Structure formats: C-alpha cells, structure tokens
Coordinates of all heavy atoms in Angstrom, one line a residue:
M18 N 111.5 85.1 109.7 CA 110.7 84.0 109.1 C 109.4 83.9 109.7 O 109.1 84.3 110.8 CB 111.5 82.7 109.2 CG 112.7 82.6 108.5 SD 113.4 81.0 108.6 CE 115.0 81.3 107.9
S19 N 108.5 83.4 108.9 CA 107.1 83.3 109.3 C 106.4 82.3 108.4 O 107.0 81.7 107.5 CB 106.4 84.6 109.4 OG 105.1 84.4 110.0
I20 N 105.1 82.1 108.7 CA 104.3 81.2 107.9 C 103.0 81.9 107.5 O 102.7 83.0 108.1 CB 103.9 79.9 108.7 CG1 103.1 80.3 109.9 CG2 105.2 79.1 109.0 CD1 102.3 79.1 110.5
R21 N 102.3 81.4 106.5 CA 100.9 81.8 106.3 C 100.1 80.5 106.1 O 100.6 79.5 105.6 CB 100.9 82.7 105.1 CG 101.1 82.0 103.8 CD 100.9 82.9 102.6 NE 101.2 82.2 101.3 CZ 101.6 82.8 100.2 NH1 101.7 84.1 100.2 NH2 101.9 82.1 99.1
I22 N 98.9 80.6 106.6 CA 98.0 79.4 106.5 C 96.9 79.7 105.6 O 96.2 80.8 105.8 CB 97.5 79.0 107.9 CG1 98.7 78.7 108.9 CG2 96.6 77.8 107.9 CD1 98.3 78.5 110.3
S23 N 96.6 78.9 104.6 CA 95.6 79.1 103.7 C 94.2 78.6 104.3 O 94.1 77.5 104.6 CB 95.8 78.4 102.4 OG 94.7 78.2 101.6
K24 N 93.3 79.6 104.4 CA 92.0 79.2 104.9 C 91.3 78.2 104.0 O 90.5 77.3 104.4 CB 91.1 80.4 105.1 CG 91.2 81.1 106.4 CD 90.2 82.2 106.5 CE 90.3 82.9 107.9 NZ 89.4 84.0 108.0
E25 N 91.5 78.4 102.7 CA 90.9 77.5 101.7 C 91.4 76.1 101.8 O 90.6 75.1 101.7 CB 91.1 78.0 100.3 CG 90.4 79.3 100.0 CD 91.0 80.5 100.7 OE1 92.2 80.6 100.9 OE2 90.2 81.4 101.0
S26 N 92.7 75.9 102.1 CA 93.2 74.5 102.1 C 93.2 73.9 103.5 O 93.2 72.7 103.6 CB 94.7 74.6 101.7 OG 94.8 75.1 100.4
C27 N 93.1 74.7 104.5 CA 93.1 74.1 105.9 C 91.8 73.3 106.1 O 90.7 73.9 105.9 CB 93.2 75.2 106.9 SG 93.1 74.6 108.6
V28 N 91.9 72.1 106.6 CA 90.8 71.3 106.9 C 90.5 71.2 108.4 O 89.6 70.5 108.9 CB 90.9 69.9 106.4 CG1 91.1 69.9 104.9 CG2 92.1 69.1 107.0
G29 N 91.3 71.9 109.2 CA 91.1 72.0 110.7 C 91.5 70.8 111.4 O 91.0 70.5 112.5
C30 N 92.5 70.0 110.9 CA 92.9 68.8 111.6 C 93.7 69.1 112.9 O 93.8 68.3 113.8 CB 93.7 67.9 110.7 SG 95.3 68.6 110.3
L31 N 94.2 70.3 112.9 CA 95.0 70.9 114.1 C 96.3 70.2 114.4 O 96.9 70.3 115.4 CB 94.1 70.9 115.3 CG 92.8 71.7 115.2 CD1 92.1 71.8 116.5 CD2 93.1 73.1 114.6
A32 N 96.8 69.4 113.4 CA 98.1 68.7 113.6 C 99.2 69.8 113.8 O 100.1 69.6 114.6 CB 98.4 67.9 112.4
C33 N 99.1 70.9 113.1 CA 100.1 71.9 113.2 C 100.1 72.6 114.6 O 101.2 72.9 115.1 CB 99.8 73.0 112.2 SG 98.2 73.7 112.3
T34 N 99.0 72.6 115.3 CA 98.9 73.3 116.6 C 99.7 72.4 117.6 O 100.2 72.9 118.6 CB 97.5 73.4 117.1 OG1 96.9 72.2 117.3 CG2 96.7 74.3 116.1
R35 N 99.7 71.1 117.4 CA 100.4 70.2 118.3 C 101.9 70.2 118.2 O 102.6 69.8 119.2 CB 99.8 68.8 118.2 CG 98.4 68.7 118.6 CD 97.9 67.2 118.6 NE 97.6 66.7 117.2 CZ 96.4 66.8 116.6 NH1 95.4 67.4 117.2 NH2 96.3 66.3 115.4
V36 N 102.4 70.6 117.1 CA 103.9 70.5 116.9 C 104.6 71.8 117.1 O 105.8 71.9 117.2 CB 104.3 69.9 115.6 CG1 103.8 68.5 115.5 CG2 103.8 70.7 114.4
C37 N 103.9 72.9 117.1 CA 104.5 74.2 117.2 C 105.1 74.4 118.6 O 104.4 74.4 119.6 CB 103.6 75.4 116.9 SG 104.4 77.0 117.1
P38 N 106.5 74.5 118.7 CA 107.1 74.6 120.0 C 106.7 75.9 120.8 O 106.9 75.9 122.0 CB 108.6 74.6 119.6 CG 108.7 75.0 118.2 CD 107.4 74.5 117.6
G39 N 106.2 76.9 120.1 CA 105.8 78.1 120.8 C 104.3 78.2 121.0 O 103.9 79.3 121.4
S40 N 103.6 77.2 120.6 CA 102.1 77.2 120.7 C 101.5 78.5 120.0 O 100.7 79.1 120.6 CB 101.7 77.2 122.2 OG 102.2 76.0 122.8
L41 N 102.1 78.8 118.9 CA 101.7 80.0 118.2 C 100.5 79.8 117.3 O 99.8 80.8 116.9 CB 102.9 80.5 117.3 CG 104.2 80.8 118.0 CD1 105.3 81.1 117.0 CD2 104.0 81.9 118.9
I42 N 100.2 78.6 116.9 CA 99.0 78.3 116.0 C 97.8 78.0 116.8 O 97.8 77.1 117.7 CB 99.4 77.2 115.0 CG1 100.7 77.5 114.3 CG2 98.3 77.0 114.0 CD1 101.2 76.4 113.4
K43 N 96.7 78.7 116.5 CA 95.5 78.6 117.2 C 94.4 78.1 116.3 O 94.6 78.1 115.0 CB 95.1 79.9 117.9 CG 96.2 80.5 118.8 CD 96.5 79.6 120.0 CE 97.5 80.3 120.9 NZ 98.0 79.4 121.9
E44 N 93.2 77.9 116.8 CA 92.1 77.5 116.0 C 90.9 78.4 116.2 O 90.7 78.9 117.3 CB 91.7 76.1 116.4 CG 90.5 75.5 115.6 CD 89.2 75.8 116.1 OE1 89.1 76.0 117.3 OE2 88.2 75.8 115.3
K45 N 90.3 78.8 115.0 CA 89.1 79.6 115.1 C 88.2 79.1 114.0 O 88.6 79.0 112.8 CB 89.4 81.1 115.0 CG 88.2 82.0 115.2 CD 88.6 83.4 115.1 CE 87.4 84.3 115.4 NZ 87.6 85.6 115.0
D46 N 86.9 78.9 114.3 CA 85.9 78.5 113.3 C 86.4 77.3 112.5 O 86.2 77.3 111.2 CB 85.6 79.7 112.4 CG 85.0 80.8 113.2 OD1 84.3 80.6 114.2 OD2 85.2 82.0 112.8
G47 N 87.1 76.4 113.1 CA 87.5 75.1 112.4 C 88.7 75.3 111.5 O 89.0 74.4 110.7
K48 N 89.4 76.4 111.6 CA 90.6 76.7 110.8 C 91.8 77.1 111.7 O 91.6 77.7 112.7 CB 90.4 77.8 109.8 CG 89.2 77.6 108.9 CD 89.5 76.6 107.8 CE 88.3 76.4 106.9 NZ 88.6 75.5 105.8
A49 N 93.0 76.7 111.3 CA 94.2 77.1 112.0 C 94.6 78.5 111.6 O 94.4 78.9 110.4 CB 95.3 76.2 111.7
F50 N 95.1 79.3 112.5 CA 95.7 80.6 112.2 C 96.8 80.9 113.2 O 96.9 80.3 114.3 CB 94.6 81.7 112.2 CG 94.2 82.1 113.6 CD1 94.8 83.3 114.2 CD2 93.4 81.3 114.4 CE1 94.4 83.7 115.5 CE2 93.0 81.7 115.7 CZ 93.5 82.9 116.2
I51 N 97.7 81.8 112.7 CA 98.8 82.2 113.6 C 98.6 83.6 114.1 O 98.4 84.5 113.3 CB 100.2 82.0 112.9 CG1 101.3 82.4 113.9 CG2 100.3 82.8 111.6 CD1 102.7 81.9 113.4
R52 N 98.5 83.7 115.4 CA 98.1 85.0 116.0 C 99.2 86.0 115.9 O 99.0 87.2 115.5 CB 97.7 84.8 117.4 CG 97.2 86.1 118.1 CD 96.6 85.9 119.4 NE 95.3 85.3 119.3 CZ 94.8 84.4 120.2 NH1 95.5 84.1 121.2 NH2 93.6 83.9 120.0
Y53 N 100.4 85.6 116.2 CA 101.6 86.5 116.2 C 102.7 86.0 115.3 O 103.7 85.4 115.7 CB 102.1 86.7 117.6 CG 101.1 87.2 118.6 CD1 100.7 86.4 119.6 CD2 100.5 88.5 118.5 CE1 99.7 86.8 120.6 CE2 99.6 88.9 119.4 CZ 99.2 88.1 120.4 OH 98.2 88.5 121.3
P54 N 102.5 86.2 114.0 CA 103.5 85.7 113.0 C 104.9 86.1 113.3 O 105.8 85.3 113.0 CB 103.0 86.3 111.7 CG 101.6 86.7 111.9 CD 101.5 87.0 113.3
R55 N 105.1 87.3 113.9 CA 106.5 87.7 114.1 C 107.2 86.8 115.2 O 108.4 86.9 115.3 CB 106.5 89.2 114.6 CG 106.3 90.1 113.4 CD 106.4 91.5 113.8 NE 106.2 92.4 112.7 CZ 106.3 93.7 112.7 NH1 106.7 94.3 113.8 NH2 106.1 94.4 111.7
D56 N 106.4 86.1 116.0 CA 107.0 85.3 117.0 C 107.5 83.9 116.5 O 108.2 83.2 117.1 CB 106.0 85.0 118.1 CG 105.7 86.2 119.0 OD1 106.5 87.2 118.9 OD2 104.8 86.2 119.8
C57 N 107.1 83.6 115.2 CA 107.6 82.4 114.6 C 109.1 82.4 114.4 O 109.6 83.4 113.8 CB 106.8 82.2 113.3 SG 107.5 80.9 112.2
W58 N 109.8 81.4 114.8 CA 111.2 81.4 114.6 C 111.6 80.4 113.5 O 112.8 80.1 113.3 CB 112.0 81.1 115.9 CG 111.7 79.8 116.6 CD1 112.2 78.6 116.3 CD2 110.8 79.6 117.7 NE1 111.7 77.6 117.2 CE2 110.9 78.2 118.0 CE3 109.9 80.4 118.4 CZ2 110.1 77.7 119.0 CZ3 109.2 79.9 119.4 CH2 109.3 78.5 119.7
G59 N 110.7 80.0 112.7 CA 111.0 79.3 111.5 C 111.5 77.9 111.6 O 112.3 77.4 110.8
C60 N 111.0 77.1 112.5 CA 111.4 75.7 112.7 C 110.9 74.8 111.6 O 111.4 73.7 111.4 CB 111.1 75.2 114.0 SG 109.3 74.8 114.2
A61 N 109.8 75.2 110.9 CA 109.2 74.5 109.8 C 108.4 73.2 110.3 O 108.0 72.5 109.4 CB 110.2 74.2 108.7
S62 N 108.3 73.0 111.6 CA 107.6 71.8 112.0 C 106.2 71.7 111.5 O 105.7 70.7 111.1 CB 107.6 71.7 113.5 OG 108.9 71.6 114.0
C63 N 105.5 72.9 111.6 CA 104.1 72.9 111.2 C 104.0 72.6 109.7 O 103.0 72.0 109.2 CB 103.4 74.2 111.6 SG 104.2 75.6 110.9
V64 N 104.9 73.1 108.9 CA 104.9 73.0 107.5 C 105.0 71.5 107.1 O 104.2 71.0 106.3 CB 106.0 73.7 106.8 CG1 105.9 73.7 105.3 CG2 106.0 75.2 107.2
K65 N 105.9 70.8 107.8 CA 106.1 69.4 107.5 C 104.9 68.6 108.0 O 104.6 67.5 107.5 CB 107.4 68.9 108.2 CG 108.6 69.3 107.5 CD 109.9 68.7 108.1 CE 110.3 69.4 109.3 NZ 111.6 68.9 109.9
E66 N 104.2 69.0 109.1 CA 103.2 68.2 109.7 C 101.9 68.3 108.9 O 101.0 67.4 108.9 CB 102.9 68.7 111.1 CG 102.1 67.8 112.0 CD 102.8 66.5 112.2 OE1 104.1 66.4 112.1 OE2 102.1 65.5 112.5
C67 N 101.7 69.4 108.2 CA 100.4 69.7 107.5 C 100.4 68.8 106.2 O 101.2 68.9 105.3 CB 100.3 71.1 107.1 SG 98.7 71.4 106.2
R68 N 99.4 67.9 106.2 CA 99.3 67.0 105.0 C 98.4 67.6 103.9 O 98.1 66.9 102.9 CB 98.6 65.7 105.5 CG 99.5 64.9 106.4 CD 100.7 64.3 105.7 NE 101.6 63.7 106.6 CZ 102.8 64.3 107.0 NH1 103.0 65.5 106.6 NH2 103.6 63.7 107.8
F69 N 98.0 68.8 104.1 CA 97.1 69.4 103.1 C 97.7 70.6 102.4 O 97.0 71.4 101.8 CB 95.8 69.8 103.9 CG 95.1 68.6 104.5 CD1 95.4 68.2 105.8 CD2 94.3 67.8 103.8 CE1 94.8 67.1 106.4 CE2 93.7 66.6 104.4 CZ 94.0 66.3 105.7
K70 N 99.0 70.7 102.5 CA 99.7 71.8 101.9 C 99.1 73.2 102.2 O 99.0 74.1 101.3 CB 99.8 71.6 100.4 CG 100.8 70.5 100.1 CD 101.2 70.5 98.6 CE 100.3 69.7 97.8 NZ 100.7 69.6 96.4
A71 N 98.6 73.4 103.4 CA 97.9 74.6 103.7 C 98.8 75.6 104.3 O 98.4 76.8 104.5 CB 96.8 74.3 104.7
I72 N 100.0 75.2 104.6 CA 101.0 76.2 105.3 C 102.1 76.5 104.3 O 102.8 75.6 103.9 CB 101.5 75.6 106.6 CG1 100.3 75.2 107.5 CG2 102.4 76.6 107.3 CD1 100.8 74.7 108.9
D73 N 102.3 77.7 104.1 CA 103.5 78.2 103.3 C 104.5 78.8 104.3 O 104.1 79.5 105.3 CB 103.1 79.2 102.3 CG 102.5 78.6 101.1 OD1 102.8 77.5 100.7 OD2 101.6 79.3 100.5
F74 N 105.7 78.6 104.0 CA 106.8 79.1 104.9 C 107.6 80.2 104.2 O 108.0 79.9 103.1 CB 107.7 77.9 105.2 CG 108.9 78.1 106.1 CD1 108.7 78.1 107.4 CD2 110.2 78.3 105.6 CE1 109.8 78.3 108.3 CE2 111.2 78.5 106.4 CZ 111.0 78.5 107.8
Y75 N 107.6 81.3 104.8 CA 108.3 82.4 104.1 C 109.8 82.2 104.4 O 110.3 82.1 105.5 CB 107.9 83.8 104.8 CG 106.6 84.3 104.3 CD1 105.5 84.2 105.0 CD2 106.5 84.9 103.0 CE1 104.3 84.7 104.6 CE2 105.3 85.4 102.6 CZ 104.2 85.3 103.3 OH 103.0 85.7 102.9
L76 N 110.6 82.3 103.3 CA 112.0 82.2 103.4 C 112.6 83.5 103.8 O 112.2 84.6 103.3 CB 112.6 81.7 102.1 CG 112.2 80.3 101.6 CD1 112.9 80.0 100.3 CD2 112.7 79.3 102.6
G77 N 113.6 83.5 104.7 CA 114.2 84.8 105.1 C 115.0 85.3 103.9 O 115.3 84.7 103.0
A78 N 115.4 86.6 104.1 CA 116.2 87.3 103.1 C 117.5 86.6 102.7 O 117.9 86.5 101.6 CB 116.5 88.7 103.5
D79 N 118.1 85.9 103.7 CA 119.3 85.3 103.5 C 119.2 84.0 102.7 O 120.1 83.4 102.1 CB 120.0 84.9 104.8 CG 119.1 84.2 105.8 OD1 117.9 84.3 105.6 OD2 119.6 83.4 106.6
L80 N 117.9 83.5 102.5 CA 117.7 82.3 101.7 C 116.9 82.6 100.5 O 116.4 81.7 99.8 CB 116.9 81.3 102.6 CG 117.5 80.8 103.8 CD1 116.6 80.0 104.7 CD2 118.8 80.0 103.5
G81 N 116.9 83.8 100.1 CA 116.2 84.1 98.8 C 115.1 85.2 99.1 O 114.8 86.0 98.2
G82 N 114.4 85.1 100.2 CA 113.5 86.0 100.7 C 112.6 86.8 99.7 O 112.2 86.2 98.7
N83 N 112.2 88.0 100.0 CA 111.4 88.9 99.2 C 110.1 88.2 98.7 O 109.8 88.3 97.5 CB 112.3 89.3 98.0 CG 113.4 90.2 98.4 OD1 113.4 90.9 99.4 ND2 114.6 90.0 97.7
G84 N 109.5 87.6 99.6 CA 108.2 87.0 99.3 C 108.2 85.6 98.8 O 107.2 85.0 98.4
T85 N 109.4 85.0 98.7 CA 109.5 83.6 98.3 C 109.0 82.7 99.5 O 109.3 82.9 100.6 CB 111.0 83.2 98.1 OG1 111.4 84.0 97.0 CG2 111.1 81.8 97.7
V86 N 108.1 81.7 99.1 CA 107.6 80.8 100.1 C 107.9 79.4 99.7 O 108.3 79.1 98.6 CB 106.0 81.0 100.2 CG1 105.7 82.3 100.8 CG2 105.3 80.7 98.9
M87 N 107.7 78.5 100.7 CA 108.1 77.1 100.5 C 107.0 76.3 101.2 O 106.5 76.6 102.3 CB 109.5 76.9 101.2 CG 110.0 75.5 101.0 SD 111.7 75.5 101.6 CE 111.5 75.6 103.4
N88 N 106.6 75.2 100.6 CA 105.8 74.2 101.3 C 106.3 72.8 100.9 O 107.2 72.6 100.1 CB 104.3 74.4 101.0 CG 104.0 74.3 99.5 OD1 104.5 73.4 98.8 ND2 103.1 75.1 99.0
V89 N 105.7 71.8 101.5 CA 106.2 70.5 101.4 C 105.0 69.5 101.2 O 103.9 69.7 101.8 CB 107.1 70.1 102.6 CG1 106.3 70.0 103.8 CG2 107.8 68.8 102.3
S90 N 105.3 68.5 100.4 CA 104.3 67.4 100.3 C 105.1 66.0 100.3 O 106.3 66.0 100.1 CB 103.5 67.5 99.0 OG 104.3 67.5 97.9
E91 N 104.4 65.0 100.5 CA 105.0 63.6 100.6 C 104.7 62.9 99.3 O 103.6 62.9 98.8 CB 104.5 62.9 101.8 CG 105.3 63.0 103.0 CD 104.7 62.1 104.1 OE1 105.1 60.9 104.2 OE2 103.9 62.7 104.9
E92 N 105.7 62.1 98.9 CA 105.4 61.2 97.7 C 106.2 59.9 98.0 O 107.5 59.9 97.9 CB 105.9 61.8 96.4 CG 105.1 61.3 95.2 CD 105.5 62.1 94.0 OE1 104.9 63.2 93.8 OE2 106.4 61.6 93.2
G93 N 105.6 58.9 98.5 CA 106.3 57.7 99.0 C 107.2 58.0 100.1 O 106.8 58.6 101.1
D94 N 108.5 57.7 100.0 CA 109.5 58.0 101.0 C 110.1 59.4 100.9 O 110.9 59.7 101.7 CB 110.6 56.9 100.9 CG 110.2 55.6 101.4 OD1 109.3 55.5 102.3 OD2 110.6 54.6 100.8
C95 N 109.7 60.1 99.9 CA 110.3 61.4 99.6 C 109.5 62.6 100.1 O 108.2 62.5 100.1 CB 110.5 61.5 98.1 SG 111.8 60.5 97.5
L96 N 110.2 63.6 100.5 CA 109.5 64.9 100.8 C 109.9 65.8 99.6 O 111.0 65.9 99.2 CB 110.1 65.5 102.1 CG 109.6 64.9 103.4 CD1 110.3 65.6 104.5 CD2 108.1 64.9 103.6
L97 N 108.9 66.4 99.1 CA 109.1 67.3 98.0 C 108.9 68.8 98.5 O 107.8 69.2 98.8 CB 108.1 67.0 96.8 CG 108.1 65.6 96.3 CD1 107.0 65.5 95.2 CD2 109.4 65.2 95.7
W98 N 110.0 69.5 98.6 CA 109.9 70.9 99.1 C 109.8 71.7 97.8 O 110.7 71.8 97.0 CB 111.2 71.2 99.8 CG 111.3 70.5 101.1 CD1 111.9 69.3 101.4 CD2 110.8 71.0 102.4 NE1 111.8 69.0 102.7 CE2 111.1 70.0 103.4 CE3 110.1 72.1 102.8 CZ2 110.8 70.2 104.7 CZ3 109.8 72.3 104.1 CH2 110.1 71.3 105.1
K99 N 108.7 72.5 97.8 CA 108.4 73.3 96.6 C 108.7 74.8 97.0 O 108.2 75.3 98.0 CB 107.0 73.2 96.1 CG 106.7 74.0 94.9 CD 105.3 74.1 94.6 CE 104.8 72.9 93.8 NZ 103.3 73.1 93.4
I100 N 109.6 75.4 96.3 CA 109.9 76.8 96.5 C 109.3 77.7 95.4 O 109.4 77.4 94.2 CB 111.5 77.0 96.5 CG1 112.1 76.2 97.6 CG2 111.8 78.5 96.6 CD1 113.6 76.1 97.5
I101 N 108.5 78.6 95.8 CA 107.7 79.5 94.9 C 108.2 80.9 95.0 O 108.0 81.5 96.1 CB 106.2 79.3 95.2 CG1 105.8 77.9 95.2 CG2 105.4 80.1 94.1 CD1 104.7 77.6 96.1
K102 N 108.7 81.4 94.0 CA 109.2 82.8 94.0 C 108.0 83.8 93.7 O 107.0 83.4 93.1 CB 110.3 83.0 92.9 CG 111.6 82.3 93.3 CD 112.7 82.6 92.4 CE 114.0 82.1 92.9 NZ 115.1 82.4 92.0
P103 N 108.2 85.1 94.0 CA 107.1 86.0 93.8 C 106.7 86.1 92.3 O 105.6 86.4 92.0 CB 107.7 87.3 94.3 CG 108.8 87.0 95.2 CD 109.3 85.7 94.8
D104 N 107.6 85.8 91.4 CA 107.2 85.9 90.0 C 106.5 84.6 89.5 O 106.2 84.5 88.3 CB 108.5 86.2 89.1 CG 109.5 85.1 89.2 OD1 109.2 84.0 89.8 OD2 110.6 85.2 88.6
G105 N 106.3 83.7 90.5 CA 105.5 82.5 90.1 C 106.4 81.3 89.7 O 105.9 80.2 89.6
T106 N 107.7 81.5 89.5 CA 108.5 80.4 89.2 C 108.7 79.5 90.4 O 108.7 79.9 91.5 CB 109.9 80.9 88.7 OG1 110.5 81.7 89.7 CG2 109.8 81.6 87.4
E107 N 108.8 78.2 90.1 CA 108.9 77.2 91.1 C 110.1 76.3 90.9 O 110.6 76.1 89.8 CB 107.6 76.3 91.0 CG 106.3 77.0 91.3 CD 105.1 76.1 91.2 OE1 105.3 74.9 90.9 OE2 104.0 76.6 91.5
R108 N 110.5 75.8 92.1 CA 111.6 74.8 92.1 C 111.3 73.8 93.1 O 110.8 74.1 94.2 CB 112.9 75.5 92.4 CG 114.1 74.6 92.3 CD 115.4 75.4 92.4 NE 116.5 74.4 92.5 CZ 117.7 74.7 93.1 NH1 117.9 75.8 93.6 NH2 118.6 73.7 93.1
I109 N 111.6 72.5 92.8 CA 111.3 71.4 93.7 C 112.6 70.8 94.2 O 113.4 70.4 93.4 CB 110.3 70.4 93.1 CG1 108.9 71.1 92.9 CG2 110.1 69.2 94.0 CD1 107.9 70.2 92.3
I110 N 112.7 70.6 95.5 CA 113.9 69.9 96.1 C 113.3 68.6 96.7 O 112.5 68.6 97.5 CB 114.6 70.7 97.1 CG1 115.1 72.0 96.5 CG2 115.7 69.9 97.8 CD1 115.6 73.0 97.6
E111 N 113.8 67.5 96.2 CA 113.4 66.2 96.6 C 114.3 65.6 97.7 O 115.5 65.6 97.5 CB 113.3 65.3 95.4 CG 112.6 63.9 95.6 CD 112.5 63.1 94.4 OE1 112.2 63.7 93.3 OE2 112.7 61.9 94.4
V112 N 113.7 65.3 98.8 CA 114.6 64.7 99.9 C 114.1 63.3 100.2 O 112.9 63.0 100.5 CB 114.5 65.5 101.2 CG1 115.3 64.9 102.3 CG2 114.9 66.9 100.9
D113 N 115.0 62.3 99.9 CA 114.6 60.9 100.2 C 114.7 60.6 101.7 O 115.8 60.6 102.2 CB 115.6 60.1 99.4 CG 115.4 58.6 99.5 OD1 114.6 58.2 100.4 OD2 115.9 57.8 98.7
G114 N 113.6 60.4 102.3 CA 113.6 60.2 103.7 C 114.3 58.9 104.2 O 114.9 58.9 105.3
K115 N 114.4 57.9 103.4 CA 115.1 56.7 103.7 C 116.6 56.9 103.8 O 117.2 56.3 104.6 CB 114.8 55.6 102.7 CG 113.6 54.7 103.1 CD 113.6 53.5 102.1 CE 112.4 52.6 102.5 NZ 112.2 51.6 101.4
N116 N 117.1 57.7 102.9 CA 118.5 57.9 102.8 C 119.1 59.2 103.4 O 120.3 59.4 103.4 CB 118.9 57.7 101.3 CG 118.6 56.3 100.8 OD1 119.0 55.3 101.4 ND2 117.9 56.3 99.7
S117 N 118.2 60.0 103.8 CA 118.7 61.4 104.2 C 119.6 61.4 105.4 O 120.4 62.3 105.6 CB 117.5 62.3 104.5 OG 116.7 61.8 105.5
N118 N 119.6 60.3 106.2 CA 120.5 60.3 107.4 C 121.8 59.7 107.1 O 122.7 59.5 108.0 CB 119.8 59.6 108.6 CG 118.7 60.5 109.2 OD1 118.8 61.7 109.1 ND2 117.7 59.8 109.8
K119 N 122.0 59.2 105.9 CA 123.3 58.6 105.5 C 124.4 59.6 105.4 O 125.6 59.2 105.4 CB 123.1 57.8 104.2 CG 122.3 56.5 104.4 CD 122.3 55.8 103.1 CE 121.5 54.5 103.2 NZ 121.4 53.8 101.9
Y120 N 124.1 60.8 105.2 CA 125.1 61.8 104.8 C 125.5 62.6 106.0 O 124.9 62.8 107.0 CB 124.6 62.8 103.7 CG 124.1 62.0 102.5 CD1 122.7 61.9 102.3 CD2 124.9 61.3 101.7 CE1 122.2 61.2 101.2 CE2 124.4 60.5 100.7 CZ 123.1 60.5 100.4 OH 122.6 59.7 99.4
Ligands
SF4_221 S1 97.9 70.9 109.8 FE1 97.2 72.0 108.0 S2 95.1 71.3 107.6 FE2 95.6 70.7 109.7 S3 94.9 72.5 110.9 FE3 97.1 72.9 110.5 S4 97.0 74.1 108.6 FE4 95.0 73.2 108.8
SF4_222 S1 107.5 77.4 111.8 FE1 107.7 76.5 113.8 S2 107.6 78.2 115.2 FE2 106.8 78.9 113.3 S3 104.6 78.6 113.5 FE3 105.4 76.7 112.5 S4 105.9 75.3 114.2 FE4 105.5 77.3 115.1

C-alpha cells in the first residue's frame, strides 16, 4: 500500500506530516511529498487528516488493487470514503462518525 499526494491540491498545511507514524511525509517548496512510498504501511492517517483531498490512498491487491485509489472528505458528522477505480468508476462509502463506535 502507498499514497500519492497531488501537488495541485496540496496547500502545504503539513497536517499530514504530523500524523505519519513513520515520518515519511516531507515538505519541499511548500508542498508535501512522500520520499519513500514503499515504506508506507497504509495506516491511512494522512488521508484522514488532509482536509484538501490532496492525498489518495492506493488499495492493496487484496482490496481491489490494480490502481484503485481512495480518498476521504467530511460532511457534517460523516466521513465520505470515495473509491475510484482505474476505469474512472466511483463508489462512496459513508461512515457516520457519531455512531461508528456503537457496532
Ligand atoms: S495535509 Fe493535505 S494539504 Fe496539508 S500538506 Fe498534507 S497533503 Fe498538503
Ligand atoms: S498512510 Fe500512514 S504510513 Fe503511509 S504515509 Fe500516510 S500516515 Fe504515513
């Protein structure tokens, strides 16, 4: 698993750099980047932390893989996880933050 960071969408807030447990995300010229993508173990913390949808998370082969990526945005109490397949088709999984710990 790994991530990719969009230079166009990144605003350089560096929130992602503070949550990566492996300190893998660095800053250059006001933008975040990951120096060693293969070291990413897929915790998705940076994806959740980025409020600008600048980070896509590559899904492993066991989860659909083959270029499928996922990102997340917030809408009220909900997290909307968007899964984008290589053919452009999208699926959204909505997680209600208020109730997610009830199960
Ligand atoms: S959290 Fe998002 S916008 Fe902020 S530096 Fe990281 S990638 Fe860029
Ligand atoms: S998914 Fe986790 S390990 Fe990978 S870059 Fe983001 S915060 Fe670091």
